[in-house]
Amino acid sequence: MEETSLGADIDDWFIESLKIYTDLHVFELQEPTQVIEWTAEKSICVAGYSTTKSNEILQLLLPQKLFAKNNQGLCPERDFKVDHGGFSEDPVNCLKHISGTRCVVSSGAPGSKLQIWQIGEDDRDIIKLTGCIELKSSSNKRCKIASGAACILHGSELRDIQITELASGRVLYTMESESSDLVSSLQFVDANVFLVCTEGGDLCLHDVRVPSALQHSHVVEQGAAYWCMGLKSGPCLSDAASCRVARLSSSGQLVVSDLRDTRGPSCRAQLTIQHSAPCCDFMNVTWAPALDDHLAVSGFDGTVHIYDTTA
Amino acid sequence: MAYFTKQSALYTLLVRYKSIQEKTFLKVNIRHAPSKILFHTERESGTRGLPVVHHSKYVCDLPPDHRFPMGKFPRVLHFLIKDQVITDKQIWMPNLASEELLGCVHTKEYLDNFINGKIEEKEQRRTGFPWSEGLVRRCRYETGGTVLAVEIAWRRGLACSTAGGTHHAFPGYGAGFCLLNDLAVAAKHWTGTSTPRRKVLIVDLDVHQGDGTAFIFREDPDVFTFSVHCGNNFPVRKQQGDLDISMDVGVEDKEYLATVQTHLPGLLESFRPDLVLYDAGVDPHWRDELGKLRLTDQGLYQRDLYVIDAVVKRGIPVATVVGGGYSRDIDSLAIRHSIVHRAATQVWKQQGL
């Protein structure tokens, strides 16, 4: 009965979407994925997250149809095309592309090492495991990762956050913290500054050149179980318009803060979102790359909600 | 049977060999008394070509930028005439399908709500159409067109509508751009209530499963629903027809045609229909915006030619509808929809109908 109801909902959504959107492109992947990461202008990387079998890690080429403004009907290629592929024995819960390279880094099962993959080495169509990054300490929590210039920022708790150089495996930086607060998201702001959001919703802005200057800001909300963050991409600390971070709670609370001063939020809203699943693995908030002040929230009810933070 | 043979022969005699400016043709079916079947048709006399059913009111106004390609219906006829596939003498105009006729499939409550504009907003969203009187009118003419195509096919062996194929409509609600199930109404009406009932095979080659039709005839042994569709296309929630063939995404001409050729002859031999209703949807085409198969123009033509010829050469009448097709290039879409009429014309000539 539940499957029938879901099918009916999908059908209703499809017909409604045909009316609402100028273009509607519907694609199906062979296996479900928890990650989708741009690796080039026209390619993405996805991977499975099964804990009971091997998972494919695939680089897919976007169909021509998505790039054709007019005459989309003339594009013969309408589906994603597998360009490179490989297998991971571990589930892939986080995947990041290293900019300027053909490398991606993945993290999976709690306590497992980070895996470094090379896409298409020696011009072959294989995604090959080429190395691992040992974690500072074994943890029963999943390690979160973020990519920097030829390095990876990673950690599962505040006290085990590190920056590791990709090529040599050398640890470039270790965060000095005793806190066991769990990491929900982390991201480089620039080459020397990174931002961490804990599962409890706290933000930590850290400059590797001045470790003692750590900024810590708390979010107060009762009953919220889990928080994640989205950093407006390409921020420059001197450009007020780009210095913003959005934090999202599993209860639908959204907090937008100025990166120059994370202590007080710029704005706050309670989103009206249906919660259909207790799992927060898919919860996500991201800023629109081209639309100023717009962000997307997903992971609650199977849909993506787009908000204008100035409204 | 002898009555119908005689009646058919008499009709043929009157039409073919006597110059008649016919305004109405009243036919009383004694076998189905006290029911009467009345068809009011307007048709030029003397035509011997493929009957094509069309009405200018197959269209209605829609909001600007609405995705449904309403403009395709008159364009289908336009291209058939422009390319001299048919002449206007071959055109038959249906009447509006009556509530009584529609009531053989649709519930009274639904018809009352639909005709009188009492469909709730949520239901309207499910159909993809905002309600209007024009919408009701065009759906009823479209259904009338399919019913007329069946009647003509029974008389002449083959007939084609320039619309039809609204197979997602259920008895109590519409869905997926379908508000009245024309195939079901035509089949239900034509099979009638006599004993033995006439049998209809519905061959639905639209890329979307004919879920409404499958549901309506799920327990009717005299109507067989055969659908070849893409499993990954709408609807996700599929019904169980009598024979459903689910194709994978990206299937091309050769495999598709082989699939149809594998199943159709056996169905014709085993089910032995008295008439075939053929939904020749063009949304399996690679340029269709919604369909996920990759048929070409030639593939569609070969498909339609095969189906129509396979049925006609067995002496079984066939009525065709255009089915689904989605593209913002209305003219290309209309030309694609006219493929079935071109194939039917070819069979008409080859079989000497």
Side-chain angles (χ1 to χ4, degrees), chain A residues 11 16 18 22 73 76 78, chain B residues 67 125 236 286 293-294 328:
Chain A
D11 289 336
E16 179 95 18
L18 285 178
T22 303
R78 295 184 296 172
Chain B
R67 287 294 294 270
R125 285 206 302 272
V236 169
W286 70 272
L293 300 184
R294 292 173 64 92
R328 269 164 270 210

Side-chain angles (χ1 to χ4, degrees), chain B residues 14-72:
Chain B
L14 289 172
V15 168
R16 280 190 178 177
Y17 299 109
K18 232 179 157 179
S19 178
I20 301 173
Q21 288 295 328
E22 195 168 358
K23 295 295 181 186
T24 61
F25 181 80
L26 174 69
K27 174 175 171 62
V28 176
N29 188 324
I30 296 174
R31 282 179 63 193
H32 295 275
S35 304
K36 290 185 189 177
I37 304 166
L38 285 81
F39 283 103
H40 298 262
T41 68
E42 291 185 20
R43 179 183 54 82
E44 297 288 334
S45 67
T47 178
R48 298 185 185 184
L50 172 75
V52 174
V53 178
H54 176 79
H55 203 295
S56 59
K57 291 192 171 70
Y58 274 172
V59 297
C60 71
D61 290 333
L62 289 176
D65 297 328
H66 195 280
R67 287 294 294 270
F68 187 79
M70 187 66 77
K72 66 182 181 179

Side-chain angles (χ1 to χ4, degrees), chain A residues 84-101:
Chain A
H84 292 81
F87 288 95
S88 169
E89 292 304 317
D90 293 333
V92 176
N93 300 110
C94 195
L95 185 80
K96 295 294 175 189
H97 172 243
I98 309 299
S99 178
T101 73

Side-chain angles (χ1 to χ4, degrees), chain B residues 10 24-25 38-39 44 47 64 84 88 92 108 126 129 146 160-161 182 188 191 209 212 246 252 277 288 304 308 315:
Chain B
L10 183 65
T24 61
F25 181 80
L38 285 81
F39 283 103
E44 297 288 334
T47 178
Q84 298 179 338
D88 55 7
W92 296 62
K108 191 171 182 314
R126 174 188 282 176
F129 286 125
T146 304
C160 301
S161 176
D182 65 313
K188 258 279 176 125
T191 52
Q209 191 217 27
S246 177
E252 297 181 353
L277 246 177
D288 193 84
D304 295 344
I308 298 170

